[in-house]
Amino acid sequence: MTGDIFCAWRRPLGVVYFAMGWRSLHKASRSAASARLNGGDLIETMLVTDERGRRFANASAFNAIRVLEAAVAVPEFEATRAVSGSGGAAALRALRASKVDAIRAGLEAYERVVFLDADTYVCRSLRPVICALEPPAIAAFAPVDVGREHGAALLRGRWRVPRGAREPNTGVLAVRNDTAALALMDAWRQAYDEIGFFMDQPALRAALHATGAPHGLLSFQFNCRGHQRRPPRATSAHVTAVPLRCRGFDRLDGRVQTRLNGGAGCVVLHSHDIREPFPP
């Protein structure tokens, strides 16, 4: 579902980003500017970063900047790869775990938040996301396609997660401030530490099952994920970014770009190759 666009909610939606390093800060600033331009009249943006990020961030793109004192020092990263500096796997795992802390920071300031990865761009109103958080739902997300879940065998064993439980794509994650949501954040962080899987999505899938947190499902247009493996069954090392833009392209290339119509009709683009300028 996408939520009732006519729900009565009229208070701000906090759009939260976690970014460190100049590349990610630039992408987050562009995404935040697009959210304020296209996301609707209730949008306020928050950047969660480290002290260095606070100094170098484009402050005009954000309503608030929050410094995460415990943020791990990785000089530059993109997705799971260090662009400069080493840091190693432990540092990058700590960086992924800091996403949970960033969402918590957003929930301290707003009653409803949507976390967006830095490599996103908002093309249309986020109002349906606000409405997808109407009670009893305390979270909403666009799920990973059935059959493409990560760590499924591991979760069925230790965590007893059933096959039908949907895996969230955490690049676009909406959360309503509620005691159940805070319990979900705690369970997510605990599961991430215990599971040992590099991605944070299997841990959230486990946490949703463990807590029984009520949640809503958004259509894929709210998280148009633009990446694909070349060849199709290649390892993650061969994942390539798919070009996307809000109005799409006259000619489409490849299965993923065709499925997403180049981005036309998407609410949120999610790719490391977004062909949109920095909004005015």
Side-chain angles (χ1 to χ4, degrees), residues 90-166:
L92 289 171
R93 275 187 55 81
L95 195 68
R96 285 291 183 91
S98 294
K99 177 188 290 188
V100 183
D101 299 326
I103 296 172
R104 275 188 165 276
L107 291 173
E108 291 174 3
Y110 299 100
E111 294 181 60
R112 301 187 185 192
V113 305
V114 57
F115 176 89
L116 296 183
D117 274 354
D119 60 328
T120 56
Y121 192 95
V122 178
C123 298
R124 302 174 190 275
S125 173
L126 293 172
R127 179 79 184 167
V129 179
I130 301 176
C131 298
L133 292 174
E134 286 291 278
I138 56 99
F141 53 84
V144 172
D145 290 342
V146 173
R148 301 187 67 85
E149 298 88 354
H150 302 85
L154 176 66
L155 296 188
R156 283 197 299 273
R158 162 71 174 81
W159 293 84
R160 302 184 185 280
V161 177
R163 292 180 182 272
R166 303 303 298 273

Side-chain angles (χ1 to χ4, degrees), residues 40-277:
D41 60 340
L42 301 177
I43 300 303
E44 294 187 9
T45 55
M46 172 185 283
L47 171 67
V48 181
T49 185
D50 61 357
E51 181 59 37
R52 184 171 181 268
R54 183 192 64 78
R55 295 197 304 270
F56 291 103
N58 180 354
S60 65
F62 302 99
N63 294 90
I65 298 178
R66 186 75 58 87
V67 173
L68 196 63
E69 299 294 343
V72 62
V74 176
E76 185 57 61
F77 74 96
E78 187 166 280
T80 61
R81 298 177 295 279
V83 177
S84 65
S86 56
L92 289 171
R93 275 187 55 81
L95 195 68
R96 285 291 183 91
S98 294
K99 177 188 290 188
V100 183
D101 299 326
I103 296 172
R104 275 188 165 276
L107 291 173
E108 291 174 3
Y110 299 100
E111 294 181 60
R112 301 187 185 192
V113 305
V114 57
F115 176 89
L116 296 183
D117 274 354
D119 60 328
T120 56
Y121 192 95
V122 178
C123 298
R124 302 174 190 275
S125 173
L126 293 172
R127 179 79 184 167
V129 179
I130 301 176
C131 298
L133 292 174
E134 286 291 278
I138 56 99
F141 53 84
V144 172
D145 290 342
V146 173
R148 301 187 67 85
E149 298 88 354
H150 302 85
L154 176 66
L155 296 188
R156 283 197 299 273
R158 162 71 174 81
W159 293 84
R160 302 184 185 280
V161 177
R163 292 180 182 272
R166 303 303 298 273
E167 178 183 320
N169 186 317
T170 57
V172 179
L173 177 63
V175 183
R176 178 169 57 85
N177 195 341
D178 184 274
T179 54
L182 299 178
L184 176 63
M185 295 297 106
D186 289 342
W188 183 10
R189 185 65 182 267
Q190 179 183 352
Y192 187 69
D193 291 340
E194 291 184 8
I195 288 175
F197 203 86
F198 196 80
M199 296 180 68
D200 54 57
Q201 293 178 183
L204 181 54
R205 186 183 180 203
L208 286 165
H209 173 67
T211 61
H215 55 276
L217 300 182
L218 301 169
S219 67
F220 77 89
Q221 287 91 348
F222 288 86
N223 191 346
C224 288
R225 189 67 175 107
H227 73 172
Q228 65 183 0
R229 289 177 172 83
R230 294 183 183 273
R233 296 188 180 276
T235 66
S236 59
H238 297 94
V239 171
T240 59
V242 174
L244 298 174
R245 64 180 180 181
C246 293
R247 66 179 183 275
F249 300 91
D250 292 335
R251 300 179 66 178
L252 301 174
D253 178 26
R255 176 183 57 84
V256 174
Q257 194 182 62
T258 300
R259 179 196 177 216
L260 300 177
N261 198 23
C266 292
V267 178
V268 179
L269 306 178
H270 186 186
S271 173
H272 286 294
D273 191 1
I274 291 175
R275 306 289 177 90
E276 292 286 349

